[in-house]
Amino acid sequence: MPAPERIPPGSMSSSPETLSAAELLAHGELTVRGRVGEASNAVLYCSVVHEGREAACVYKPVAGEQPLWDFPDGTLAQREVAAYEISEATGWGLIPPTVLREGPYGEGMVQLWIEADQEAQLLALTEDEEAGEGWKAVGPAQIAEDRTALLVHADTPELRRLAVLDAVINNGDRKGGHLLPAPDGRLYGIDHGVTFHVEDKLRTLLWGWAGEELPAEAISVLDDLDRALTPGAPLVTRLAELLTGAEVAAVRARVAALRASGRHPEPSGLWPPIPWPPV
């Protein structure tokens, strides 16, 4: 029997490769190979094989989710899939193919594994008072008892798109470790379980554009997304399978607010705007 064809991590866009990857994740035989890191929720590294194709993936079973005080129990996997559906609707392809399916430990989220480019630098600390060229300032960071530095992130179109997507899905946990620059130059965001709350929960390291005008590209995408969120549209039907009616309505309201303001959101001031730990 020939060895399965492996899907490279970068073969993801709104193309036949993405559709094949999603089909592989949804219908392939899932085998757990190990556990990823020391996350509070179960994150399992797996292989998935289907019709001669194989890929590495992450499996997060609902049974391994720890309760959160502000999110309903057992809903994080659905939120991850909903974030992927919104990402696909934007056409930006910022989230790896993600499906909801049964696995060895019950229903859970399964997402294509991305091998990050370890040489790429998206976040940095500088002792300069301002961010240098190609960087945006986030704010001061305590690096010692009596010493601070300026936290900055890269000023790239891809990272800016992700900041817009986070505002749409109300991402409460955009940490540095959730940014995966791929070797082919593409950027992916992962870990979207803490999203879609009806209250403003936006916590992120990507505040460098706060208050600035949205790029024309983002406005165009938001216009398209607004149409895709019309009641009865296929995207709304899909989101209704994953989120509550109030949460879907809140997505529509956030898109409308972004279009009306034409600017990146600013911290609400209701709670710390940066997640902890930041990485």
Side-chain angles (χ1 to χ4, degrees), residues 219-249:
I219 295 294
S220 177
V221 165
L222 290 169
D223 288 345
D224 291 342
L225 194 54
D226 181 68
R227 287 188 286 271
L229 289 167
T230 301
L235 177 60
V236 174
T237 300
R238 176 57 177 147
L239 292 178
E241 299 171 349
L242 303 164
L243 306 171
T244 67
E247 288 168 342
V248 175

PDB file of all heavy atoms in Angstrom, residues 219-249:
ATOM      1  N   ILE A 219     -12.589  47.951   4.802  1.00  0.00           N
ATOM      2  CA  ILE A 219     -13.950  48.472   4.634  1.00  0.00           C
ATOM      3  C   ILE A 219     -14.708  47.649   3.605  1.00  0.00           C
ATOM      4  O   ILE A 219     -15.880  47.282   3.809  1.00  0.00           O
ATOM      5  CB  ILE A 219     -13.924  49.950   4.215  1.00  0.00           C
ATOM      6  CG1 ILE A 219     -13.335  50.822   5.337  1.00  0.00           C
ATOM      7  CG2 ILE A 219     -15.309  50.427   3.843  1.00  0.00           C
ATOM      8  CD1 ILE A 219     -14.189  50.874   6.587  1.00  0.00           C
ATOM      9  N   SER A 220     -14.046  47.312   2.497  1.00  0.00           N
ATOM     10  CA  SER A 220     -14.681  46.513   1.455  1.00  0.00           C
ATOM     11  C   SER A 220     -15.052  45.127   1.982  1.00  0.00           C
ATOM     12  O   SER A 220     -16.147  44.620   1.712  1.00  0.00           O
ATOM     13  CB  SER A 220     -13.732  46.383   0.258  1.00  0.00           C
ATOM     14  OG  SER A 220     -14.290  45.549  -0.747  1.00  0.00           O
ATOM     15  N   VAL A 221     -14.152  44.525   2.739  1.00  0.00           N
ATOM     16  CA  VAL A 221     -14.417  43.203   3.308  1.00  0.00           C
ATOM     17  C   VAL A 221     -15.576  43.276   4.306  1.00  0.00           C
ATOM     18  O   VAL A 221     -16.447  42.398   4.335  1.00  0.00           O
ATOM     19  CB  VAL A 221     -13.143  42.645   3.972  1.00  0.00           C
ATOM     20  CG1 VAL A 221     -13.474  41.455   4.876  1.00  0.00           C
ATOM     21  CG2 VAL A 221     -12.140  42.222   2.918  1.00  0.00           C
ATOM     22  N   LEU A 222     -15.606  44.317   5.117  1.00  0.00           N
ATOM     23  CA  LEU A 222     -16.700  44.473   6.077  1.00  0.00           C
ATOM     24  C   LEU A 222     -18.043  44.681   5.375  1.00  0.00           C
ATOM     25  O   LEU A 222     -19.081  44.197   5.840  1.00  0.00           O
ATOM     26  CB  LEU A 222     -16.407  45.637   7.024  1.00  0.00           C
ATOM     27  CG  LEU A 222     -15.268  45.407   8.025  1.00  0.00           C
ATOM     28  CD1 LEU A 222     -14.891  46.708   8.712  1.00  0.00           C
ATOM     29  CD2 LEU A 222     -15.655  44.353   9.058  1.00  0.00           C
ATOM     30  N   ASP A 223     -18.024  45.390   4.250  1.00  0.00           N
ATOM     31  CA  ASP A 223     -19.246  45.559   3.469  1.00  0.00           C
ATOM     32  C   ASP A 223     -19.760  44.204   2.982  1.00  0.00           C
ATOM     33  O   ASP A 223     -20.960  43.905   3.056  1.00  0.00           O
ATOM     34  CB  ASP A 223     -18.990  46.482   2.271  1.00  0.00           C
ATOM     35  CG  ASP A 223     -18.796  47.931   2.674  1.00  0.00           C
ATOM     36  OD1 ASP A 223     -19.134  48.291   3.819  1.00  0.00           O
ATOM     37  OD2 ASP A 223     -18.283  48.711   1.838  1.00  0.00           O
ATOM     38  N   ASP A 224     -18.827  43.379   2.460  1.00  0.00           N
ATOM     39  CA  ASP A 224     -19.205  42.048   1.987  1.00  0.00           C
ATOM     40  C   ASP A 224     -19.704  41.179   3.143  1.00  0.00           C
ATOM     41  O   ASP A 224     -20.670  40.422   2.995  1.00  0.00           O
ATOM     42  CB  ASP A 224     -18.013  41.368   1.307  1.00  0.00           C
ATOM     43  CG  ASP A 224     -17.632  42.031  -0.008  1.00  0.00           C
ATOM     44  OD1 ASP A 224     -18.469  42.770  -0.567  1.00  0.00           O
ATOM     45  OD2 ASP A 224     -16.495  41.818  -0.465  1.00  0.00           O
ATOM     46  N   LEU A 225     -19.031  41.305   4.288  1.00  0.00           N
ATOM     47  CA  LEU A 225     -19.415  40.510   5.446  1.00  0.00           C
ATOM     48  C   LEU A 225     -20.796  40.916   5.955  1.00  0.00           C
ATOM     49  O   LEU A 225     -21.592  40.069   6.376  1.00  0.00           O
ATOM     50  CB  LEU A 225     -18.368  40.676   6.546  1.00  0.00           C
ATOM     51  CG  LEU A 225     -18.401  39.689   7.721  1.00  0.00           C
ATOM     52  CD1 LEU A 225     -18.364  38.253   7.230  1.00  0.00           C
ATOM     53  CD2 LEU A 225     -17.237  39.964   8.666  1.00  0.00           C
ATOM     54  N   ASP A 226     -21.086  42.208   5.893  1.00  0.00           N
ATOM     55  CA  ASP A 226     -22.404  42.688   6.307  1.00  0.00           C
ATOM     56  C   ASP A 226     -23.495  42.043   5.457  1.00  0.00           C
ATOM     57  O   ASP A 226     -24.541  41.621   5.977  1.00  0.00           O
ATOM     58  CB  ASP A 226     -22.448  44.214   6.185  1.00  0.00           C
ATOM     59  CG  ASP A 226     -23.781  44.789   6.627  1.00  0.00           C
ATOM     60  OD1 ASP A 226     -24.080  44.719   7.833  1.00  0.00           O
ATOM     61  OD2 ASP A 226     -24.521  45.303   5.767  1.00  0.00           O
ATOM     62  N   ARG A 227     -23.257  41.947   4.152  1.00  0.00           N
ATOM     63  CA  ARG A 227     -24.241  41.307   3.273  1.00  0.00           C
ATOM     64  C   ARG A 227     -24.346  39.807   3.574  1.00  0.00           C
ATOM     65  O   ARG A 227     -25.436  39.230   3.536  1.00  0.00           O
ATOM     66  CB  ARG A 227     -23.859  41.539   1.811  1.00  0.00           C
ATOM     67  CG  ARG A 227     -24.089  42.973   1.335  1.00  0.00           C
ATOM     68  CD  ARG A 227     -23.880  43.105  -0.155  1.00  0.00           C
ATOM     69  NE  ARG A 227     -22.455  43.057  -0.482  1.00  0.00           N
ATOM     70  CZ  ARG A 227     -21.654  44.134  -0.523  1.00  0.00           C
ATOM     71  NH1 ARG A 227     -22.148  45.340  -0.247  1.00  0.00           N
ATOM     72  NH2 ARG A 227     -20.384  44.008  -0.846  1.00  0.00           N
ATOM     73  N   ALA A 228     -23.198  39.180   3.879  1.00  0.00           N
ATOM     74  CA  ALA A 228     -23.194  37.744   4.174  1.00  0.00           C
ATOM     75  C   ALA A 228     -23.909  37.429   5.482  1.00  0.00           C
ATOM     76  O   ALA A 228     -24.317  36.283   5.707  1.00  0.00           O
ATOM     77  CB  ALA A 228     -21.761  37.220   4.227  1.00  0.00           C
ATOM     78  N   LEU A 229     -24.069  38.454   6.345  1.00  0.00           N
ATOM     79  CA  LEU A 229     -24.729  38.262   7.637  1.00  0.00           C
ATOM     80  C   LEU A 229     -26.205  38.642   7.613  1.00  0.00           C
ATOM     81  O   LEU A 229     -26.847  38.750   8.656  1.00  0.00           O
ATOM     82  CB  LEU A 229     -23.998  39.077   8.709  1.00  0.00           C
ATOM     83  CG  LEU A 229     -22.610  38.546   9.097  1.00  0.00           C
ATOM     84  CD1 LEU A 229     -21.856  39.574   9.919  1.00  0.00           C
ATOM     85  CD2 LEU A 229     -22.729  37.231   9.853  1.00  0.00           C
ATOM     86  N   THR A 230     -26.754  38.835   6.418  1.00  0.00           N
ATOM     87  CA  THR A 230     -28.184  39.092   6.287  1.00  0.00           C
ATOM     88  C   THR A 230     -28.968  37.883   6.791  1.00  0.00           C
ATOM     89  O   THR A 230     -28.619  36.743   6.467  1.00  0.00           O
ATOM     90  CB  THR A 230     -28.542  39.351   4.816  1.00  0.00           C
ATOM     91  OG1 THR A 230     -27.790  40.472   4.336  1.00  0.00           O
ATOM     92  CG2 THR A 230     -30.025  39.637   4.660  1.00  0.00           C
ATOM     93  N   PRO A 231     -29.999  38.104   7.602  1.00  0.00           N
ATOM     94  CA  PRO A 231     -30.786  36.968   8.116  1.00  0.00           C
ATOM     95  C   PRO A 231     -31.211  36.023   6.999  1.00  0.00           C
ATOM     96  O   PRO A 231     -31.707  36.457   5.952  1.00  0.00           O
ATOM     97  CB  PRO A 231     -31.993  37.653   8.765  1.00  0.00           C
ATOM     98  CG  PRO A 231     -31.449  38.978   9.217  1.00  0.00           C
ATOM     99  CD  PRO A 231     -30.479  39.394   8.137  1.00  0.00           C
ATOM    100  N   GLY A 232     -30.968  34.741   7.221  1.00  0.00           N
ATOM    101  CA  GLY A 232     -31.330  33.723   6.242  1.00  0.00           C
ATOM    102  C   GLY A 232     -30.213  33.371   5.285  1.00  0.00           C
ATOM    103  O   GLY A 232     -30.318  32.372   4.560  1.00  0.00           O
ATOM    104  N   ALA A 233     -29.124  34.159   5.270  1.00  0.00           N
ATOM    105  CA  ALA A 233     -27.997  33.874   4.384  1.00  0.00           C
ATOM    106  C   ALA A 233     -27.272  32.611   4.853  1.00  0.00           C
ATOM    107  O   ALA A 233     -27.322  32.257   6.036  1.00  0.00           O
ATOM    108  CB  ALA A 233     -27.043  35.064   4.357  1.00  0.00           C
ATOM    109  N   PRO A 234     -26.568  31.912   3.946  1.00  0.00           N
ATOM    110  CA  PRO A 234     -25.888  30.662   4.321  1.00  0.00           C
ATOM    111  C   PRO A 234     -24.931  30.812   5.504  1.00  0.00           C
ATOM    112  O   PRO A 234     -24.867  29.922   6.363  1.00  0.00           O
ATOM    113  CB  PRO A 234     -25.131  30.282   3.040  1.00  0.00           C
ATOM    114  CG  PRO A 234     -25.944  30.881   1.936  1.00  0.00           C
ATOM    115  CD  PRO A 234     -26.469  32.174   2.492  1.00  0.00           C
ATOM    116  N   LEU A 235     -24.188  31.924   5.574  1.00  0.00           N
ATOM    117  CA  LEU A 235     -23.264  32.113   6.687  1.00  0.00           C
ATOM    118  C   LEU A 235     -24.023  32.194   8.009  1.00  0.00           C
ATOM    119  O   LEU A 235     -23.598  31.619   9.018  1.00  0.00           O
ATOM    120  CB  LEU A 235     -22.424  33.374   6.488  1.00  0.00           C
ATOM    121  CG  LEU A 235     -21.451  33.721   7.629  1.00  0.00           C
ATOM    122  CD1 LEU A 235     -20.447  32.592   7.851  1.00  0.00           C
ATOM    123  CD2 LEU A 235     -20.729  35.034   7.344  1.00  0.00           C
ATOM    124  N   VAL A 236     -25.142  32.891   8.016  1.00  0.00           N
ATOM    125  CA  VAL A 236     -25.943  33.024   9.233  1.00  0.00           C
ATOM    126  C   VAL A 236     -26.507  31.663   9.646  1.00  0.00           C
ATOM    127  O   VAL A 236     -26.514  31.318  10.838  1.00  0.00           O
ATOM    128  CB  VAL A 236     -27.075  34.040   9.029  1.00  0.00           C
ATOM    129  CG1 VAL A 236     -27.992  34.084  10.241  1.00  0.00           C
ATOM    130  CG2 VAL A 236     -26.493  35.424   8.762  1.00  0.00           C
ATOM    131  N   THR A 237     -26.944  30.900   8.674  1.00  0.00           N
ATOM    132  CA  THR A 237     -27.455  29.562   8.969  1.00  0.00           C
ATOM    133  C   THR A 237     -26.374  28.702   9.598  1.00  0.00           C
ATOM    134  O   THR A 237     -26.625  27.960  10.569  1.00  0.00           O
ATOM    135  CB  THR A 237     -27.973  28.896   7.681  1.00  0.00           C
ATOM    136  OG1 THR A 237     -29.020  29.695   7.132  1.00  0.00           O
ATOM    137  CG2 THR A 237     -28.493  27.496   7.957  1.00  0.00           C
ATOM    138  N   ARG A 238     -25.163  28.800   9.057  1.00  0.00           N
ATOM    139  CA  ARG A 238     -24.048  28.018   9.607  1.00  0.00           C
ATOM    140  C   ARG A 238     -23.690  28.493  11.016  1.00  0.00           C
ATOM    141  O   ARG A 238     -23.492  27.666  11.926  1.00  0.00           O
ATOM    142  CB  ARG A 238     -22.830  28.138   8.686  1.00  0.00           C
ATOM    143  CG  ARG A 238     -21.571  27.431   9.199  1.00  0.00           C
ATOM    144  CD  ARG A 238     -21.823  25.970   9.444  1.00  0.00           C
ATOM    145  NE  ARG A 238     -20.612  25.274   9.858  1.00  0.00           N
ATOM    146  CZ  ARG A 238     -20.590  24.242  10.698  1.00  0.00           C
ATOM    147  NH1 ARG A 238     -21.721  23.789  11.220  1.00  0.00           N
ATOM    148  NH2 ARG A 238     -19.460  23.659  11.019  1.00  0.00           N
ATOM    149  N   LEU A 239     -23.613  29.794  11.215  1.00  0.00           N
ATOM    150  CA  LEU A 239     -23.271  30.316  12.535  1.00  0.00           C
ATOM    151  C   LEU A 239     -24.320  29.938  13.580  1.00  0.00           C
ATOM    152  O   LEU A 239     -23.997  29.703  14.748  1.00  0.00           O
ATOM    153  CB  LEU A 239     -23.113  31.834  12.483  1.00  0.00           C
ATOM    154  CG  LEU A 239     -21.911  32.375  11.698  1.00  0.00           C
ATOM    155  CD1 LEU A 239     -21.925  33.895  11.692  1.00  0.00           C
ATOM    156  CD2 LEU A 239     -20.591  31.854  12.265  1.00  0.00           C
ATOM    157  N   ALA A 240     -25.580  29.863  13.150  1.00  0.00           N
ATOM    158  CA  ALA A 240     -26.658  29.503  14.073  1.00  0.00           C
ATOM    159  C   ALA A 240     -26.517  28.079  14.585  1.00  0.00           C
ATOM    160  O   ALA A 240     -27.086  27.733  15.631  1.00  0.00           O
ATOM    161  CB  ALA A 240     -28.011  29.683  13.387  1.00  0.00           C
ATOM    162  N   GLU A 241     -25.761  27.243  13.867  1.00  0.00           N
ATOM    163  CA  GLU A 241     -25.501  25.877  14.320  1.00  0.00           C
ATOM    164  C   GLU A 241     -24.416  25.840  15.394  1.00  0.00           C
ATOM    165  O   GLU A 241     -24.246  24.827  16.079  1.00  0.00           O
ATOM    166  CB  GLU A 241     -25.066  25.006  13.138  1.00  0.00           C
ATOM    167  CG  GLU A 241     -26.108  24.886  12.044  1.00  0.00           C
ATOM    168  CD  GLU A 241     -25.571  24.203  10.802  1.00  0.00           C
ATOM    169  OE1 GLU A 241     -24.335  24.010  10.707  1.00  0.00           O
ATOM    170  OE2 GLU A 241     -26.385  23.872   9.916  1.00  0.00           O
ATOM    171  N   LEU A 242     -23.682  26.947  15.530  1.00  0.00           N
ATOM    172  CA  LEU A 242     -22.509  26.974  16.407  1.00  0.00           C
ATOM    173  C   LEU A 242     -22.637  27.961  17.562  1.00  0.00           C
ATOM    174  O   LEU A 242     -21.979  27.795  18.597  1.00  0.00           O
ATOM    175  CB  LEU A 242     -21.269  27.340  15.585  1.00  0.00           C
ATOM    176  CG  LEU A 242     -20.964  26.422  14.403  1.00  0.00           C
ATOM    177  CD1 LEU A 242     -19.974  27.100  13.446  1.00  0.00           C
ATOM    178  CD2 LEU A 242     -20.393  25.091  14.893  1.00  0.00           C
ATOM    179  N   LEU A 243     -23.450  29.009  17.389  1.00  0.00           N
ATOM    180  CA  LEU A 243     -23.576  30.080  18.368  1.00  0.00           C
ATOM    181  C   LEU A 243     -25.047  30.300  18.716  1.00  0.00           C
ATOM    182  O   LEU A 243     -25.942  29.795  18.033  1.00  0.00           O
ATOM    183  CB  LEU A 243     -22.993  31.384  17.799  1.00  0.00           C
ATOM    184  CG  LEU A 243     -21.556  31.343  17.282  1.00  0.00           C
ATOM    185  CD1 LEU A 243     -21.230  32.645  16.547  1.00  0.00           C
ATOM    186  CD2 LEU A 243     -20.568  31.101  18.412  1.00  0.00           C
ATOM    187  N   THR A 244     -25.295  31.088  19.749  1.00  0.00           N
ATOM    188  CA  THR A 244     -26.681  31.448  20.087  1.00  0.00           C
ATOM    189  C   THR A 244     -27.161  32.548  19.148  1.00  0.00           C
ATOM    190  O   THR A 244     -26.359  33.242  18.494  1.00  0.00           O
ATOM    191  CB  THR A 244     -26.777  31.943  21.532  1.00  0.00           C
ATOM    192  OG1 THR A 244     -26.082  33.195  21.649  1.00  0.00           O
ATOM    193  CG2 THR A 244     -26.177  30.942  22.504  1.00  0.00           C
ATOM    194  N   GLY A 245     -28.474  32.746  19.104  1.00  0.00           N
ATOM    195  CA  GLY A 245     -29.036  33.810  18.284  1.00  0.00           C
ATOM    196  C   GLY A 245     -28.518  35.173  18.694  1.00  0.00           C
ATOM    197  O   GLY A 245     -28.238  36.026  17.838  1.00  0.00           O
ATOM    198  N   ALA A 246     -28.361  35.399  19.999  1.00  0.00           N
ATOM    199  CA  ALA A 246     -27.854  36.681  20.486  1.00  0.00           C
ATOM    200  C   ALA A 246     -26.412  36.898  20.060  1.00  0.00           C
ATOM    201  O   ALA A 246     -26.005  38.025  19.735  1.00  0.00           O
ATOM    202  CB  ALA A 246     -27.973  36.743  22.009  1.00  0.00           C
ATOM    203  N   GLU A 247     -25.629  35.830  20.037  1.00  0.00           N
ATOM    204  CA  GLU A 247     -24.222  35.954  19.629  1.00  0.00           C
ATOM    205  C   GLU A 247     -24.100  36.246  18.140  1.00  0.00           C
ATOM    206  O   GLU A 247     -23.237  37.033  17.715  1.00  0.00           O
ATOM    207  CB  GLU A 247     -23.472  34.678  20.004  1.00  0.00           C
ATOM    208  CG  GLU A 247     -23.255  34.547  21.510  1.00  0.00           C
ATOM    209  CD  GLU A 247     -22.790  33.172  21.932  1.00  0.00           C
ATOM    210  OE1 GLU A 247     -22.947  32.195  21.147  1.00  0.00           O
ATOM    211  OE2 GLU A 247     -22.285  33.045  23.067  1.00  0.00           O
ATOM    212  N   VAL A 248     -24.949  35.627  17.330  1.00  0.00           N
ATOM    213  CA  VAL A 248     -24.931  35.915  15.885  1.00  0.00           C
ATOM    214  C   VAL A 248     -25.352  37.362  15.645  1.00  0.00           C
ATOM    215  O   VAL A 248     -24.743  38.072  14.826  1.00  0.00           O
ATOM    216  CB  VAL A 248     -25.855  34.942  15.127  1.00  0.00           C
ATOM    217  CG1 VAL A 248     -25.919  35.325  13.647  1.00  0.00           C
ATOM    218  CG2 VAL A 248     -25.358  33.508  15.277  1.00  0.00           C
ATOM    219  N   ALA A 249     -26.365  37.821  16.365  1.00  0.00           N
ATOM    220  CA  ALA A 249     -26.793  39.215  16.234  1.00  0.00           C
ATOM    221  C   ALA A 249     -25.676  40.170  16.650  1.00  0.00           C
ATOM    222  O   ALA A 249     -25.509  41.249  16.059  1.00  0.00           O
ATOM    223  CB  ALA A 249     -28.040  39.456  17.083  1.00  0.00           C
TER     224      ALA A 249
END
